[in-house]
Amino acid sequence: MANSTPPVPAAKTRAGTAAAPAQRGVTMADVAKYAGVSRTAVSFVLSNREHANVSQDTKHRILEAVQTLGYRPNAGARALASQRSDWYGIVTEIVTAPFAVDIIKGAQDQAWLSRRFLLIAPSDQADAVGPNQGMEDAAFEKLLEQRVEGLLYAATFHRAVHVPKSANEVPTVLINCFDADGKLPSIVPDERAGGRVAVERLLQAGHSRIGVINLDPNIPAAVGRLEGCREALAEAGLELDPDLLVSGYATADGGYEAACQILDRYPAGEGRPTALFCLNDRMAMGAYDAIKERGLAIPQDIAVIGFDNQELIAAYLRPKLTTVALPFEEMGALGVQTLASLTAGQPITAHQQMVDCPLLERFSV
């Protein structure tokens, strides 16, 4: 049976000879042949070579050939020749995180302002043991193979990290984490200021007996947020009662259990805290259940503030949760700004830059 698919006709050059078939990638030689000029002339025009001796008529024919044939420059070859690719690479474990993907959005938007693009290489989600180092090393290598001008490394949660040695081959900036070896610049949230603004809000609302549901006390977020909490209390002439500080797992169950411990110490109500500062929104969600199970109302009996602004939680609790936002989008944008300065050979303002964590008012205070 004969093949019913008609053959793809060859394009005709200006001289009437056949050009490259449409199935094959169009080359610079094809453009030159179509326009009836030398390959050198095509190269001069497409690279905007200054002082090239190319007439306007020739330039017009070359550009017409480019449009007609659908020619696209070889980005890899151009990057090799110029050592510039217009690409930044980002290695991240946050591709599926429910809220930290805003880092990618902030980075993309900022990169676009300077006509840069992001190549994203996912790494494995970090856990208690750490990231999958083999996968992470491969992500860096693949991006470097693409001749990226610089690299970003973004983490799900604020912590010290070790990056592959290959990251030193190009300018590299860390986002929501910092270099354990102290060599690479980083962008991190100002955890201490966030803890301070949360407790200041509770103090402004008239609360002086404030319970704190802490994260793992050894991680940077817990250390900074608790320092800010203590600072705000001290400025008001108060101290954090040790009986009102409980550390728990950073989950709804962890928040529920910690809130139960605090509230059950005061079954008669006397001495019971009138506010809870939960160091993440998931723990605040668990605290809501513990409070309501005891017949107490939010915020009439106990006010609650969270941290993170994990919108799927904070905006849909009842009442909606007042919380401190982690500035993921702002960190992504500042990471690209810092990387742009480094790739341009310009000095940066600080080795580690901190971004404010704003308070988002809802109805739980």
Side-chain angles (χ1 to χ4, degrees), residues 48-245:
N48 293 315
R49 181 76 62 88
E50 293 184 11
H51 311 302
N53 188 20
V54 179
S55 69
Q56 288 299 316
D57 177 66
T58 299
K59 183 183 293 186
H60 175 76
R61 283 158 46 200
I62 290 171
L63 295 177
E64 181 184 58
V66 166
Q67 184 174 8
T68 301
L69 297 178
Y71 171 76
R72 290 186 178 88
N74 185 318
R78 185 170 59 183
L80 282 171
S82 66
Q83 296 301 305
R84 293 178 62 87
S85 64
D86 296 333
W87 289 96
Y88 292 149
I90 179 167
V91 177
T92 178
E93 65 201 21
I94 65 176
V95 172
T96 58
F99 55 93
V101 290
D102 284 342
I103 286 180
I104 296 176
K105 182 182 184 303
Q108 282 180 326
D109 290 348
Q110 183 62 41
W112 178 244
L113 292 177
S114 56
R115 292 301 185 264
R116 292 291 189 274
F117 301 89
L118 290 186
L119 282 175
I120 301 172
S123 62
D124 213 17
Q125 180 83 16
D127 54 26
V129 177
N132 180 332
Q133 197 61 52
M135 184 175 180
E136 198 161 87
D137 290 348
F140 275 89
E141 287 297 329
K142 285 297 181 183
L143 290 174
L144 291 169
E145 287 174 9
Q146 303 304 313
R147 302 281 173 172
V148 294
E149 293 184 41
L151 287 168
L152 302 166
Y153 179 89
T156 303
F157 63 94
H158 185 182
R159 67 182 191 275
V161 297
H162 295 275
V163 297
K165 291 181 179 179
S166 58
N168 294 306
E169 295 179 21
V170 295
T172 299
V173 177
L174 309 183
I175 302 175
N176 201 35
C177 55
F178 57 93
D179 185 7
D181 298 323
K183 296 178 180 178
L184 298 174
S186 61
I187 314 295
V188 296
D190 193 339
E191 308 279 12
R192 185 167 64 179
R196 187 168 57 245
V197 75
V199 174
E200 285 174 347
R201 176 66 185 91
L202 293 172
L203 292 167
Q204 290 166 3
H207 300 283
S208 58
R209 191 155 174 78
I210 300 170
V212 178
I213 299 179
N214 199 11
L215 301 162
D216 176 340
N218 299 312
I219 64 174
V223 172
R225 295 172 196 182
L226 192 56
E227 284 181 358
C229 168
R230 293 185 189 277
E231 284 179 4
L233 289 171
E235 289 173 5
L238 301 170
E239 291 185 1
L240 179 60
D241 186 337
D243 288 340
L244 299 183
L245 173 63

Side-chain angles (χ1 to χ4, degrees), residues 271-300:
R272 187 176 63 206
T274 61
L276 290 178
F277 174 32
C278 303
L279 270 67
N280 80 8
D281 291 347
R282 285 175 292 174
M283 299 176 92
M285 180 168 62
Y288 266 47
D289 289 338
I291 292 167
K292 292 177 180 179
E293 282 181 0
R294 285 152 181 79
L296 302 172
I298 304 168
Q300 291 86 350

